[in-house]
Amino acid sequence: NPTPVFPYTNWATAASNIQEAVDAAFAGALILVTKGVYASGGRVMYGSLTNRLVIDKAVTVRSVLGPEATWIVGQGADGGNDNGDGAIRCAYVGMNGVLTGFTLTNGHTRLTGDIDRERRGGGVWCEVGGMVSNCVITCNSAAESGGGAAYGTLNSCALIKNSVVNAPEPSGGGGAYYCTLNFCVLTGNSAHYGGGSSYGTLNNCY
């Protein structure tokens, strides 16, 4: 939208990026996102790792046309395709936040820094109560665990070709790490162990 007007309550005045809409919303709000590739901007939550999108309150961020048309794209270190300084994770989902209907791709983590919050969850990292649903999480990587996702609950998601790379010691959960997965598909993910998932609960997944 070329003419965004705070607080972005309709399509005519909608924010030009997702983060602005989240920042303007109150807890309990529903934020609708139109189709597009969201691959710029970002915010640091912990240490030095940037997240393309930060949902830091109990809101639902939902795409209108689903993951086929709505992408959140991270970045490799120094603009490349690896983990390290300058990497950007796709999304951080805070306590009781919900992200639904997106493709999350090319997210990466740092090689150093906090082992949990900066080196896990290349595609998405969730706080307690954070939820991701109806998303395609693909071609992301982490330096420690959870190439696709770390923590939280994933419902009806597809985790495809995510990986754990550059780990200084054997690490697991190429697709997901310490997540609860319900009705999810996992394929082509890789790690030292638990290529699809490690230390999680999987219900009706394949």
Side-chain angles (χ1 to χ4, degrees):
N1 181 24
T3 56
V5 180
F6 182 89
Y8 321 118
T9 55
N10 56 66
W11 288 119
T13 63
S16 58
N17 65 75
I18 308 172
Q19 192 65 62
E20 288 181 352
V22 172
D23 293 344
F26 292 99
L30 170 63
I31 299 165
L32 297 176
V33 180
T34 192
K35 66 179 181 180
V37 177
Y38 297 88
S40 62
R43 179 168 299 172
V44 174
M45 282 299 293
Y46 299 98
S48 300
L49 179 63
T50 298
N51 305 271
R52 188 69 76 198
L53 172 65
V54 168
I55 302 175
D56 57 354
K57 59 189 74 171
V59 298
T60 296
V61 178
R62 178 186 299 162
S63 72
V64 176
L65 296 177
E68 296 83 2
T70 322
W71 294 49
I72 297 175
V73 182
Q75 177 181 295
D78 300 320
N81 296 304
D82 208 350
N83 298 306
D85 291 341
I88 299 177
R89 175 192 285 139
C90 295
Y92 162 92
V93 180
M95 186 177 296
N96 299 322
V98 178
L99 181 67
T100 180
F102 292 83
T103 289
L104 307 178
T105 190
N106 200 42
H108 298 270
T109 70
R110 299 186 66 208
L111 293 173
T112 59
D114 186 89
I115 192 171
D116 193 22
R117 297 178 181 271
E118 294 186 84
R119 289 190 270 168
R120 288 176 175 155
V124 59
W125 197 100
C126 297
E127 295 282 4
V128 175
M131 181 182 296
V132 180
S133 68
N134 298 101
C135 285
V136 176
I137 303 172
T138 183
C139 298
N140 304 284
S141 72
E144 178 57 39
S145 303
Y151 310 108
T153 299
L154 278 61
N155 296 324
S156 301
C157 291
L159 294 91
I160 304 168
K161 294 183 179 179
N162 303 287
S163 61
V164 173
V165 296
N166 308 120
E169 58 187 44
S171 299
Y177 177 78
Y178 263 114
C179 297
T180 297
L181 279 64
N182 301 309
F183 299 98
C184 291
V185 176
L186 302 95
T187 184
N189 304 287
S190 62
H192 290 108
Y193 62 86
S197 175
S198 67
Y199 297 106
T201 301
L202 281 69
N203 299 308
N204 298 296
C205 296
Y206 61 95

